[in-house]
Amino acid sequence: MTKDIAFAGISLSKLGIGPEDVLKINSELRPLLDDLSGWYPDEFRASHILRLWPQKNYETEKKPSNLMVSGLVTSSALLPWTEAAVQMPEACRILESCFFSWMKPLPRCCILHVAPNTSIPVHVDIAPSNTSKLELKLRLVLDGDTSGIFFLNKSGEKLFINEHHDAFVLNGSMPHGYAATKKGLTMLVMGYPWNGANNMMQLSDLILPGTEILSSSISSKISEEMYEEVFLLKKQLS
């Protein structure tokens, strides 16, 4: 796998995740979606974010507590899950067994919910000085339609994914957005401080051939206002 990647589909079967696992997570999530008052309203991205792990920003060498999976008392050396995660033990199990086992450093994890018929404007998830940096985000699709995801090509035109993916990696340093779909999009998302750089070998095995979009075909230009919005969001979530 090359580091020059903007997007690629990921194999759920190689991760050890089946359709029944996604259904269980959705069953846990449904009551939380009925009341979005406990979610963070991300007005810039026209979406809602529900943090799962950790409760606050953390140092990368620390590990998640095993409270949700094994029922053991949380150790002071470990970082606890959020109150929302307490209601989603299957999501915690999938994160620990299928993702945390190989991702280095461990990612922050949350649920990102985009309502039906809602668009996300073009944005990036990194500082202006680091637009050439690899900043992969790994996303497990729980519900909705990924065909609305797009990048900007070098002519400023939207380059759509144009097909559905059950899981994918996306380079957050590239300008991207989401065009409204009838279904919207709900995902289990994993990102910073993980960025993919330490797991290129594992990702090479997980990526579905023929689904890659290379960063070299994507524009890296974006307005300063968009960066400011991203920095404000990170401050509010810290």
Side-chain angles (χ1 to χ4, degrees):
M1 172 185 167
T2 175
K3 289 188 177 182
D4 179 31
I5 192 163
F7 179 94
I10 292 290
S11 170
L12 284 189
S13 60
K14 288 187 176 181
L15 282 169
I17 300 174
E20 67 281 0
D21 297 314
V22 177
L23 287 174
K24 289 178 181 177
I25 295 175
N26 273 316
S27 179
E28 296 174 339
L29 183 60
R30 195 167 296 116
L32 297 172
L33 282 171
D34 289 339
D35 180 10
L36 296 176
S37 62
W39 296 58
Y40 174 80
D42 181 356
E43 296 180 1
F44 176 65
R45 291 184 180 85
S47 58
H48 284 79
I49 296 173
L50 185 68
R51 186 194 287 267
L52 296 182
W53 185 82
Q55 287 184 356
K56 296 182 179 181
N57 293 341
Y58 66 104
E59 306 204 0
T60 57
E61 69 270 15
K62 292 193 175 181
K63 309 295 183 184
S65 92
N66 53 8
L67 176 65
M68 294 303 98
V69 177
S70 65
L72 299 177
V73 176
T74 304
S75 165
S76 60
L78 303 176
L79 291 167
W81 300 84
T82 64
E83 292 183 9
V86 173
Q87 303 175 62
M88 300 186 66
E90 181 65 16
C92 297
R93 185 190 70 80
I94 290 295
L95 282 169
E96 287 197 327
S97 62
C98 301
F99 295 103
F100 289 178
S101 58
W102 59 272
M103 297 177 80
K104 299 182 184 303
L106 293 179
R108 294 176 190 166
C109 307
C110 63
I111 304 291
L112 176 68
H113 174 63
V114 184
N117 302 309
T118 302
S119 299
I120 299 178
V122 177
H123 66 282
V124 295
D125 305 314
I126 200 167
S129 59
N130 293 328
T131 52
S132 61
K133 179 182 176 182
L134 183 71
E135 191 70 23
L136 294 182
K137 314 290 182 182
L138 203 160
R139 300 181 174 181
L140 171 64
V141 178
L142 302 176
D143 193 22
D145 187 357
T146 63
S147 66
I149 298 171
F150 66 86
F151 294 90
L152 296 181
N153 64 20
K154 294 186 181 298
S155 299
E157 301 168 325
K158 293 179 180 179
L159 177 63
F160 282 91
I161 302 305
N162 283 334
E163 58 183 284
H164 182 76
H165 293 278
D166 294 323
F168 60 89
V169 286
L170 179 148
N171 190 345
S173 71
M174 299 287 103
H176 58 282
Y178 184 78
T181 64
K182 292 182 179 179
K183 294 182 178 180
L185 187 60
T186 303
M187 302 176 291
L188 177 56
V189 304
M190 291 148 273
Y192 181 84
W194 184 84
N195 63 11
N198 295 329
N199 294 121
M200 301 306 289
M201 184 178 299
Q202 292 91 337
L203 289 172
S204 295
D205 183 56
L206 293 171
I207 285 178
L208 296 169
T211 63
E212 304 97 329
I213 295 177
L214 299 181
S215 299
S216 55
S217 64
I218 305 299
S219 170
S220 61
K221 296 179 179 179
I222 195 166
S223 70
E224 290 294 326
E225 290 79 8
M226 292 183 182
Y227 287 114
E228 292 173 3
E229 293 283 0
V230 171
F231 294 149
L232 176 61
L233 171 65
K234 287 184 176 178
K235 182 177 180 181
Q236 291 169 328
L237 286 178
S238 63

